[in-house]
Amino acid sequence: MDYMEQALSLAKLALGQASPNPAVGAVVVKNDVVVGQGYTQPLGSWHAEVVALNQAGEEALGGMMYATLEPCCHYGRTPPCTQAIIAAGITEVHLAMLDPNPLVSGRGKGELKRKGIKTYVGEHEDEAKEINEAYIKFITTGMPFVTAKFAISLDGKIATKGGDSKWISGEEARKHAHGLRYAADAIMAGVNTVLADDPHLTTRCCGGKGGTARKQPLRVIVDSNGRTPLSARVFSEPGKTLLALGRSVTPEDATALAQVGAELLELPSAEGLVDLDKLLKALGERQITNVLVEGGGILLGSLFDRGLVDKVIAFIAPIIIGGKDAKTAVGGKGVDKVVDSLRLERVSVERFSEDLMVSGYVSRKNGD
């Protein structure tokens, strides 16, 4: 049995719940039997290693641990996991990867080795890094990981010339998209998307009986001129809504938006667009580790133009919309030559009924 794979499966259960902590899974094994397992609990509660050790109890003595990330060795909101591992009598630890956090990196492993615990690093490392790709960027740069997500027709349209967009992707693809929302700390959309679709911007994943999930990501509406309607659904749904406004918004409009429950963040703007670099920096300061951007084309185009997108997830439906005035997924300035196009790497393709999901990471090889 591949115990590290089991630990990775557990780690995925913590996505969307543990942030800004990493999503970690841990398995305790003794005599080829799993005696304890766990994953990172919500912020301020136990880490994966401690959950697994608590479940194992006395059976942990002389056992082995498989963990998807190097255990912490410092006091934070909870005591160091390394101390719990040592106290439990674990004799061997397998780690998928070291923790890029400067407070931990290599030190947790070193502490275990000094206590005579055999320590191995690197099993399923790539998978572990993908699970915590947002945490890795955030803990090393202070900036959130940005994923651009959109659904398009086969000819690249996100809506008809009249603005209708329901539904381009099918039910299975939309269900998966709610899972992406569930794993995100924030969902970002431009004001034109709110005006055109009046979206909920909530996740209905993992809430039971098809309802709304208990944990909702922060909704971030980029609105340079304060045009978001006071009646917009984003103000009445569970969770919080942040409006990123330009400085041209009048005090009266700002007061009205605040009264319907929006948190306001005033930012500089240029060419009628909110400074997205400063917006992402502000979100990072709020410990938002990952942002799922759902459109529209102006916002996505600006993010791509500024080199702020890390990952792309595109759902492609086998339909043709047509129309030269129909909207496309990515606006902005774009490039003049195909050779200068942003290229994705580590591309994967999945199928959801008739729809395809293409995902990949924006290449930084050209110095972007």
Side-chain angles (χ1 to χ4, degrees):
M1 183 175 183
D2 192 326
Y3 298 116
M4 189 61 79
E5 274 194 1
Q6 187 171 343
L8 289 165
S9 295
L10 289 164
K12 292 176 183 178
L13 297 176
L15 287 171
Q17 302 299 297
S19 184
N21 286 337
V24 181
V27 174
V28 178
V29 180
K30 187 172 183 180
N31 299 326
D32 295 324
V33 176
V34 173
V35 294
Q37 56 185 350
Y39 55 90
T40 315
Q41 298 302 295
L43 192 64
S45 191
W46 297 113
H47 292 186
E49 300 91 335
V50 175
V51 175
L53 289 170
N54 286 342
Q55 190 179 105
E58 294 181 357
E59 290 295 314
L61 182 63
M64 298 185 297
M65 174 175 284
Y66 291 79
T68 59
L69 187 70
E70 179 181 20
C72 63
C73 54
H74 63 289
Y75 280 89
R77 294 180 177 87
T78 59
C81 289
T82 49
Q83 290 186 10
I85 293 169
I86 294 164
I90 294 289
T91 59
E92 186 173 308
V93 174
H94 295 252
L95 306 172
M97 62 177 286
L98 296 180
D99 191 336
N101 185 344
L103 293 173
V104 181
S105 189
R107 297 177 184 177
K109 173 190 172 187
E111 185 174 332
L112 296 177
K113 292 187 73 173
R114 284 192 298 274
K115 293 296 183 178
I117 298 174
K118 295 178 182 178
T119 310
Y120 306 92
V121 179
E123 296 175 38
H124 294 289
E125 183 175 12
D126 289 343
E127 294 97 318
K129 285 183 175 178
E130 183 175 351
I131 288 171
N132 275 310
E133 57 195 11
Y135 167 76
I136 292 169
K137 181 183 179 183
F138 173 74
I139 205 66
T140 55
T141 68
M143 296 286 282
F145 186 90
V146 178
T147 300
K149 190 219 86 177
F150 46 86
I152 57 174
S153 62
L154 204 57
D155 56 337
K157 309 297 186 181
I158 61 171
T160 66
K161 60 185 178 182
D164 180 58
S165 62
K166 293 184 178 180
W167 295 99
I168 288 178
S169 55
E171 185 177 349
E172 284 189 28
R174 296 199 302 274
K175 183 178 179 181
H176 184 75
H178 276 285
L180 297 174
R181 286 182 175 184
Y182 184 78
D185 291 342
I187 302 171
M188 184 183 293
V191 64
N192 288 330
T193 296
V194 176
L195 291 169
D197 300 333
D198 195 17
H200 297 272
L201 296 185
T202 55
T203 176
R204 290 179 285 281
C205 169
C206 313
K209 297 182 180 178
T212 301
R214 289 182 294 275
K215 176 262 179 189
Q216 290 295 327
L218 175 69
R219 294 182 288 272
V220 180
I221 309 302
V222 182
D223 184 0
S224 302
N225 299 310
R227 294 187 295 135
T228 303
L230 301 178
S231 59
R233 288 174 176 164
V234 292
F235 298 133
S236 58
E237 293 289 343
K240 297 180 180 179
T241 299
L242 172 71
L243 286 183
L245 302 172
R247 289 177 178 162
S248 62
V249 176
T250 67
E252 294 78 14
D253 286 343
T255 298
L257 289 166
Q259 286 177 343
V260 294
E263 181 182 354
L264 309 183
L265 177 63
E266 188 179 286
L267 294 165
S269 56
E271 299 179 5
L273 299 172
V274 165
D275 189 321
L276 296 174
D277 298 77
K278 285 186 168 57
L279 171 56
L280 291 174
K281 184 178 179 181
L283 292 176
E285 290 170 352
R286 294 163 182 248
Q287 296 194 308
I288 297 293
T289 67
N290 64 93
V291 178
L292 183 66
V293 185
E294 297 205 358
I298 294 174
L299 175 59
L300 285 171
S302 299
L303 287 165
F304 278 112
D305 286 344
R306 300 195 63 80
L308 297 175
V309 177
D310 297 294
K311 186 176 184 178
V312 175
I313 298 178
F315 293 93
I316 305 172
I319 60 174
I320 304 294
I321 290 177
K324 64 182 179 65
D325 296 324
K327 296 179 180 179
T328 57
V330 181
K333 296 177 181 177
V335 297
D336 293 324
K337 298 180 179 179
V338 172
V339 70
D340 296 324
S341 302
L342 291 176
R343 183 169 294 276
L344 300 186
E345 56 189 15
R346 291 179 282 154
V347 174
S348 64
V349 179
E350 292 183 54
R351 184 168 179 170
F352 293 91
S353 189
E354 295 182 339
D355 301 323
L356 293 181
M357 183 185 80
V358 178
S359 61
Y361 299 84
V362 177
S363 174
R364 307 298 184 190
K365 292 179 181 178
N366 297 326
D368 293 329

